[in-house]
Amino acid sequence: MLEKSGFDGLGVVVTGAAAGIGAATAEVLGELGAHVLAVDIDTDGLAELAGRLAGSGADCTVLEADLTDRSDVERVSRAVGETGVVVKALVNNVGVNSRHSIRDLEPEQWERDLARNLTSAYLLTRALLPLLLAAPRGGSVVNVSSTHALAANPASLGYATTKSGLLGFTRQLAAEFADSGLRVNAVCPGLTMTRRITDRGIGEPQERLRDRLLDRRFAEPEEVAYGIAFLASDAASYITGVTLPIDGGFTAR
């Protein structure tokens, strides 16, 4: 199916691209022929990603930025335009998973969660909208939410709330731009074996979660990345406004 992705040198902006799901998505898109425009605050991680993509023959432009900063968002938008690359899609993947209940979630942390997980997607989508609307055969936005947006989990108030907001953002944009050829979808990954998880180790809460998965294993980053790449591509040309759980059957129980 993904041989019909339609990237063919077209640009895909991937945020949070220095590690984890974002890095895996960048690599999958590079394999599919996209020119990856990788955005992250982590310069070392971006350099490592660029090296891997170059080694595989993929085209990549790295852009260091803090997407909670409006001036950085404007700078990224200008830089993307100045590359001369025709932008096909945007993957809003940047985010932070904070662990707080309402009793210990201070207003400052709430604002940080909101800025990283939701406002950053709004700001960059809005800034890149003219390029996305001009994309050949229609542009695409994929927002990376979480299963926390679909099923409640203790002590994740800021994360779950902001990731839920991304789903409303997705549906609203899909409806607003349906007549303009812009598709907007979301994915909800479950627990994924990124470096952040493997470095921390799997604890008792994660082991309890494993019992709710239909195949009793956690996702690898590239398994999520292929779902993102599909929704971003022309292979998903009739899909818009949907939320795709990539969770090993967690939300099926």
Side-chain angles (χ1 to χ4, degrees):
M1 179 66 73
L2 283 177
E3 68 271 12
K4 299 179 181 179
S5 62
F7 293 120
D8 302 325
L10 298 176
V12 181
V13 178
V14 182
T15 72
I21 291 172
T25 300
E27 293 184 63
V28 166
L29 289 166
E31 293 170 3
L32 293 171
H35 183 128
V36 178
L37 300 132
V39 185
D40 205 293
I41 199 169
D42 178 0
T43 54
D44 291 339
L46 283 177
E48 292 175 10
L49 173 69
R52 293 195 301 273
L53 288 172
S56 66
D59 293 323
C60 177
T61 300
V62 298
L63 301 164
E64 184 274 328
D66 176 358
L67 294 177
T68 68
D69 184 326
R70 293 186 188 185
S71 62
D72 266 19
V73 172
E74 292 169 2
R75 178 173 55 80
V76 166
S77 178
R78 289 195 301 271
V80 168
E82 289 167 359
T83 63
V85 176
V86 177
V87 176
K88 176 69 172 177
L90 165 63
V91 178
N92 285 312
N93 170 68
V94 70
V96 61
N97 186 350
S98 65
R99 302 282 297 171
H100 300 91
S101 70
I102 194 168
R103 292 184 178 89
D104 59 6
L105 179 61
E106 297 295 336
E108 294 79 11
Q109 182 63 52
W110 172 267
E111 294 293 342
R112 285 193 290 272
D113 289 349
L114 184 63
R116 286 287 294 277
N117 296 346
L118 185 54
T119 305
S120 65
Y122 153 74
L123 290 173
L124 191 58
T125 304
R126 187 173 188 271
L128 295 179
L129 195 56
L131 298 178
L132 292 165
L133 291 174
R137 302 179 304 280
S140 175
V141 177
V142 182
N143 296 313
V144 181
S145 180
S146 168
T147 52
H148 285 264
L150 302 174
N153 190 57
S156 296
L157 181 67
Y159 184 69
T161 302
T162 52
K163 288 297 189 177
S164 297
L166 267 180
L167 301 186
F169 179 69
T170 297
R171 291 189 295 269
Q172 186 62 32
L173 283 182
E176 188 169 341
F177 291 99
D179 293 338
S180 303
L182 178 65
R183 297 182 301 105
V184 188
N185 295 291
V187 298
C188 286
L191 198 148
T192 304
M193 298 304 290
T194 62
R195 186 183 303 171
R196 178 178 61 83
I197 297 296
T198 56
D199 286 351
R200 185 179 67 193
I202 297 297
E204 185 179 346
Q206 289 81 20
E207 289 297 346
R208 289 199 301 269
L209 173 61
R210 195 193 301 272
D211 292 336
R212 292 187 59 183
L213 304 178
L214 294 182
D215 59 2
R216 300 296 194 276
R217 69 177 181 87
F218 301 129
E220 294 298 327
E222 59 269 21
E223 293 180 295
V224 180
Y226 278 114
I228 294 169
F230 167 68
L231 288 176
S233 77
D234 285 346
S237 59
Y238 196 59
I239 301 175
T240 191
V242 307
T243 296
L244 173 66
I246 306 177
D247 64 356
F250 172 74
T251 51
R253 288 188 179 273

